[in-house]
Short mmCIF file of all heavy atoms in Angstrom, two decimals:
data_model
loop_
_atom_site.label_atom_id
_atom_site.label_comp_id
_atom_site.label_asym_id
_atom_site.label_seq_id
_atom_site.Cartn_x
_atom_site.Cartn_y
_atom_site.Cartn_z
N PHE A 143 -207.68 6.71 37.53
CA PHE A 143 -207.70 8.06 38.37
C PHE A 143 -207.79 9.20 37.35
O PHE A 143 -208.41 10.19 37.76
CB PHE A 143 -206.48 8.08 39.27
CG PHE A 143 -206.51 7.23 40.40
CD1 PHE A 143 -205.27 6.50 40.90
CD2 PHE A 143 -207.58 7.06 41.17
CE1 PHE A 143 -205.33 5.72 41.98
CE2 PHE A 143 -207.64 6.30 42.36
CZ PHE A 143 -206.52 5.50 42.75
N GLU A 144 -206.96 9.14 36.31
CA GLU A 144 -206.96 10.39 35.35
C GLU A 144 -208.31 10.46 34.69
O GLU A 144 -208.81 11.65 34.30
CB GLU A 144 -205.89 10.19 34.41
CG GLU A 144 -204.59 10.41 34.95
CD GLU A 144 -203.32 10.25 33.95
OE1 GLU A 144 -203.54 9.51 32.92
OE2 GLU A 144 -202.33 10.92 34.08
N SER A 145 -209.10 9.44 34.55
CA SER A 145 -210.40 9.48 33.96
C SER A 145 -211.42 10.17 34.72
O SER A 145 -212.48 10.66 34.32
CB SER A 145 -210.94 8.17 33.60
OG SER A 145 -211.29 7.38 34.72
N PHE A 146 -211.12 10.36 36.15
CA PHE A 146 -212.02 11.03 37.00
C PHE A 146 -211.77 12.51 36.92
O PHE A 146 -212.63 13.22 37.55
CB PHE A 146 -211.66 10.66 38.44
CG PHE A 146 -211.99 9.20 38.75
CD1 PHE A 146 -211.46 8.60 39.86
CD2 PHE A 146 -212.97 8.45 37.99
CE1 PHE A 146 -211.80 7.26 40.20
CE2 PHE A 146 -213.20 7.14 38.38
CZ PHE A 146 -212.68 6.49 39.35
N GLY A 147 -210.95 13.04 36.18
CA GLY A 147 -210.66 14.44 35.99
C GLY A 147 -210.13 15.06 37.27
O GLY A 147 -209.26 14.47 37.95
N GLN A 148 -210.73 16.21 37.63
CA GLN A 148 -210.25 17.02 38.82
C GLN A 148 -210.36 16.27 40.03
O GLN A 148 -209.56 16.37 40.94
CB GLN A 148 -211.08 18.37 38.92
CG GLN A 148 -210.31 19.41 39.89
CD GLN A 148 -208.93 19.87 39.37
OE1 GLN A 148 -208.64 19.78 38.09
NE2 GLN A 148 -208.03 20.16 40.30
N GLU A 149 -211.45 15.43 40.19
CA GLU A 149 -211.68 14.73 41.32
C GLU A 149 -210.64 13.69 41.70
O GLU A 149 -210.19 13.31 42.78
CB GLU A 149 -213.03 14.03 41.29
CG GLU A 149 -214.21 14.86 41.40
CD GLU A 149 -215.56 14.07 41.32
OE1 GLU A 149 -215.51 12.89 41.45
OE2 GLU A 149 -216.53 14.74 41.07
N GLY A 150 -210.00 13.07 40.60
CA GLY A 150 -209.02 12.12 40.82
C GLY A 150 -207.54 12.60 40.65
O GLY A 150 -206.65 11.85 40.64
N ARG A 151 -207.45 13.94 40.63
CA ARG A 151 -206.13 14.56 40.37
C ARG A 151 -205.16 14.04 41.46
O ARG A 151 -203.93 13.74 41.17
CB ARG A 151 -206.30 16.06 40.45
CG ARG A 151 -204.98 16.77 40.05
CD ARG A 151 -205.23 18.34 40.00
NE ARG A 151 -203.99 19.07 39.70
CZ ARG A 151 -203.84 20.36 39.60
NH1 ARG A 151 -204.88 21.07 39.97
NH2 ARG A 151 -202.65 20.90 39.34
N GLN A 152 -205.41 14.27 42.76
CA GLN A 152 -204.42 13.88 43.84
C GLN A 152 -204.14 12.47 43.82
O GLN A 152 -202.90 12.11 43.94
CB GLN A 152 -205.09 14.31 45.22
CG GLN A 152 -204.10 14.12 46.40
CD GLN A 152 -202.87 14.95 46.26
OE1 GLN A 152 -202.89 16.10 45.88
NE2 GLN A 152 -201.82 14.33 46.51
N ASN A 153 -205.11 11.62 43.60
CA ASN A 153 -204.85 10.13 43.49
C ASN A 153 -204.05 9.89 42.35
O ASN A 153 -203.09 8.98 42.44
CB ASN A 153 -206.16 9.42 43.36
CG ASN A 153 -206.94 9.37 44.76
OD1 ASN A 153 -206.39 9.53 45.75
ND2 ASN A 153 -208.27 9.18 44.80
N ALA A 154 -204.33 10.57 41.23
CA ALA A 154 -203.50 10.25 40.07
C ALA A 154 -201.99 10.69 40.32
O ALA A 154 -201.00 10.02 39.76
CB ALA A 154 -204.09 11.09 38.75
N LEU A 155 -201.82 11.77 41.02
CA LEU A 155 -200.51 12.22 41.33
C LEU A 155 -199.70 11.18 42.09
O LEU A 155 -198.48 10.82 41.88
CB LEU A 155 -200.66 13.50 42.02
CG LEU A 155 -199.21 14.25 42.28
CD1 LEU A 155 -198.54 14.56 40.99
CD2 LEU A 155 -199.40 15.53 43.12
N GLU A 156 -200.32 10.59 43.15
CA GLU A 156 -199.87 9.58 43.91
C GLU A 156 -199.44 8.32 43.16
O GLU A 156 -198.38 7.68 43.27
CB GLU A 156 -200.69 9.18 45.13
CG GLU A 156 -200.77 10.39 46.13
CD GLU A 156 -201.57 9.84 47.33
OE1 GLU A 156 -201.27 8.81 47.87
OE2 GLU A 156 -202.39 10.76 47.90
N ALA A 157 -200.37 7.82 42.21
CA ALA A 157 -200.13 6.69 41.34
C ALA A 157 -198.93 7.04 40.41
O ALA A 157 -198.19 6.07 40.17
CB ALA A 157 -201.45 6.45 40.54
N LYS A 158 -199.02 8.22 39.93
CA LYS A 158 -197.88 8.63 38.95
C LYS A 158 -196.54 8.49 39.62
O LYS A 158 -195.51 8.03 39.09
CB LYS A 158 -198.12 10.07 38.37
CG LYS A 158 -197.48 10.31 37.19
CD LYS A 158 -197.81 11.66 36.62
CE LYS A 158 -199.21 11.73 36.07
NZ LYS A 158 -199.48 13.15 35.43
N THR A 159 -196.47 8.84 40.87
CA THR A 159 -195.32 8.88 41.72
C THR A 159 -194.77 7.48 41.89
O THR A 159 -193.52 7.07 41.77
CB THR A 159 -195.50 9.53 43.01
OG1 THR A 159 -195.86 10.88 42.91
CG2 THR A 159 -194.21 9.50 43.91
N LEU A 160 -195.65 6.55 42.29
CA LEU A 160 -195.36 5.08 42.34
C LEU A 160 -194.88 4.52 41.04
O LEU A 160 -193.88 3.77 40.99
CB LEU A 160 -196.54 4.28 42.83
CG LEU A 160 -197.05 4.72 44.37
CD1 LEU A 160 -198.36 4.05 44.58
CD2 LEU A 160 -196.01 4.26 45.37
N LEU A 161 -195.55 4.92 39.99
CA LEU A 161 -195.10 4.46 38.63
C LEU A 161 -193.74 4.92 38.30
O LEU A 161 -192.94 4.15 37.75
CB LEU A 161 -196.14 4.86 37.63
CG LEU A 161 -195.78 4.52 36.10
CD1 LEU A 161 -195.62 3.01 35.99
CD2 LEU A 161 -196.91 4.98 35.16
N CYS A 162 -193.48 6.16 38.58
CA CYS A 162 -192.14 6.70 38.31
C CYS A 162 -191.06 5.91 39.00
O CYS A 162 -190.01 5.60 38.41
CB CYS A 162 -192.11 8.23 38.74
SG CYS A 162 -190.53 9.00 38.49
N LYS A 163 -191.24 5.59 40.26
CA LYS A 163 -190.26 4.90 40.96
C LYS A 163 -190.05 3.48 40.49
O LYS A 163 -188.86 2.95 40.35
CB LYS A 163 -190.73 4.74 42.47
CG LYS A 163 -190.59 6.01 43.20
CD LYS A 163 -191.04 5.98 44.72
CE LYS A 163 -190.96 7.31 45.44
NZ LYS A 163 -191.46 7.36 46.75
N ALA A 164 -191.14 2.86 40.08
CA ALA A 164 -191.04 1.44 39.51
C ALA A 164 -190.29 1.50 38.14
O ALA A 164 -189.50 0.63 37.84
CB ALA A 164 -192.43 0.80 39.28
N LEU A 165 -190.63 2.51 37.26
CA LEU A 165 -189.94 2.72 35.94
C LEU A 165 -188.43 2.90 36.13
O LEU A 165 -187.59 2.32 35.49
CB LEU A 165 -190.54 3.86 35.16
CG LEU A 165 -191.92 3.64 34.66
CD1 LEU A 165 -192.48 5.06 34.18
CD2 LEU A 165 -191.98 2.54 33.62
N THR A 166 -188.16 3.76 37.26
CA THR A 166 -186.69 3.87 37.52
C THR A 166 -185.99 2.63 37.92
O THR A 166 -184.87 2.38 37.48
CB THR A 166 -186.62 5.01 38.73
OG1 THR A 166 -187.21 6.14 38.35
CG2 THR A 166 -185.11 5.28 38.99
N LYS A 167 -186.61 1.88 38.77
CA LYS A 167 -186.08 0.54 39.17
C LYS A 167 -185.87 -0.34 38.01
O LYS A 167 -184.98 -1.19 37.97
CB LYS A 167 -187.02 -0.03 40.30
CG LYS A 167 -186.35 -1.21 40.99
CD LYS A 167 -187.22 -1.57 42.16
CE LYS A 167 -186.60 -2.74 43.05
NZ LYS A 167 -187.41 -3.15 44.09
N GLN A 168 -186.77 -0.33 37.09
CA GLN A 168 -186.79 -1.14 35.92
C GLN A 168 -185.83 -0.57 34.76
O GLN A 168 -185.68 -1.06 33.76
CB GLN A 168 -188.20 -1.33 35.26
CG GLN A 168 -188.27 -2.35 34.14
CD GLN A 168 -188.10 -3.83 34.47
OE1 GLN A 168 -187.69 -4.01 35.67
NE2 GLN A 168 -188.45 -4.70 33.58
N GLN A 169 -185.22 0.55 35.16
CA GLN A 169 -184.33 1.36 34.15
C GLN A 169 -185.01 1.74 32.88
O GLN A 169 -184.25 1.81 31.89
CB GLN A 169 -183.07 0.33 33.84
CG GLN A 169 -182.24 0.00 35.05
CD GLN A 169 -181.53 1.32 35.58
OE1 GLN A 169 -180.75 1.90 34.90
NE2 GLN A 169 -181.76 1.83 36.88
N ILE A 170 -186.25 2.10 33.00
CA ILE A 170 -187.01 2.70 31.76
C ILE A 170 -186.96 4.20 32.14
O ILE A 170 -187.84 4.85 32.63
CB ILE A 170 -188.53 2.16 31.78
CG1 ILE A 170 -188.47 0.66 31.65
CG2 ILE A 170 -189.19 2.80 30.50
CD1 ILE A 170 -189.82 0.04 31.66
N LEU A 171 -185.75 4.73 31.93
CA LEU A 171 -185.41 5.99 32.55
C LEU A 171 -186.05 7.26 31.82
O LEU A 171 -186.27 8.17 32.43
CB LEU A 171 -183.91 6.13 32.73
CG LEU A 171 -183.23 5.05 33.66
CD1 LEU A 171 -181.74 5.15 33.65
CD2 LEU A 171 -183.82 5.17 35.09
N ASP A 172 -186.02 7.07 30.47
CA ASP A 172 -186.61 8.24 29.66
C ASP A 172 -188.11 8.47 30.06
O ASP A 172 -188.46 9.65 30.41
CB ASP A 172 -186.53 8.05 28.18
CG ASP A 172 -185.07 8.04 27.71
OD1 ASP A 172 -184.28 8.56 28.38
OD2 ASP A 172 -184.88 7.45 26.70
N GLU A 173 -188.78 7.44 30.22
CA GLU A 173 -190.27 7.56 30.65
C GLU A 173 -190.34 8.16 32.00
O GLU A 173 -191.21 8.91 32.40
CB GLU A 173 -191.00 6.37 30.42
CG GLU A 173 -192.51 6.56 30.67
CD GLU A 173 -193.32 5.25 30.56
OE1 GLU A 173 -192.77 4.24 29.95
OE2 GLU A 173 -194.52 5.24 30.80
N ALA A 174 -189.42 7.44 32.94
CA ALA A 174 -189.48 7.85 34.33
C ALA A 174 -189.12 9.37 34.48
O ALA A 174 -189.70 10.12 35.29
CB ALA A 174 -188.53 7.03 35.09
N GLU A 175 -188.17 9.87 33.68
CA GLU A 175 -187.87 11.39 33.80
C GLU A 175 -189.03 12.22 33.38
O GLU A 175 -189.41 13.23 34.04
CB GLU A 175 -186.70 11.62 32.82
CG GLU A 175 -186.14 13.04 33.00
CD GLU A 175 -185.13 13.48 32.00
OE1 GLU A 175 -184.56 12.56 31.32
OE2 GLU A 175 -184.88 14.67 31.85
#
Side-chain angles (χ1 to χ4, degrees):
F143 284 142
E144 287 181 333
S145 72
F146 293 161
Q148 194 63 29
E149 291 181 11
R151 183 178 182 184
Q152 185 59 43
N153 289 336
L155 187 60
E156 292 186 42
K158 201 178 285 187
T159 302
L160 293 171
L161 176 58
C162 177
K163 289 178 179 177
L165 290 168
T166 304
K167 196 171 180 181
Q168 184 71 349
Q169 294 294 296
I170 306 174
L171 297 175
D172 290 341
E173 186 181 350
E175 183 186 353

